[in-house]
Amino acid sequence: PIPEKDAANDVDEAIEFALEEARKRGVSGPAVTPFILQAVSQLTGGSSLRYNLRDEAKKNVNFFMCQRLIATT
């Protein structure tokens, strides 16, 4: 298994990349979350799923994604 610290770094980097891709592709509104979650899963080879992005963690990721999208516009 990937150490939690490394998994977190991989997921953070994947989120940053996926957010940039979403912005470039014009993904917006309710399509953002599914786009980001799918991209992050693909970019991390599925390790993001094992990183346990459930319930409260999903809310935190959504909040983080929103903050990053606002900061880049």
Side-chain angles (χ1 to χ4, degrees):
I2 299 171
E4 189 169 320
K5 182 178 177 184
D6 292 340
N9 289 336
D10 289 346
V11 172
D12 288 344
E13 290 173 15
I15 289 171
E16 292 290 331
F17 182 83
L19 284 169
E20 183 62 24
E21 279 300 304
R23 192 176 64 74
K24 286 180 185 176
R25 295 180 188 200
V27 177
S28 62
V32 172
T33 298
F35 178 89
I36 298 299
L37 292 175
Q38 181 179 15
V40 169
S41 179
Q42 288 175 345
L43 290 165
T44 63
S47 70
S48 63
L49 297 176
R50 290 185 298 276
Y51 187 61
N52 209 4
L53 296 176
R54 288 186 275 152
D55 303 322
E56 193 61 36
K58 279 186 184 178
K59 291 176 191 173
N60 292 337
V61 169
N62 286 338
F63 180 73
F64 174 75
M65 289 187 302
C66 289
Q67 284 182 320
R68 296 298 300 154
L69 284 172
I70 290 168
T72 59
T73 58

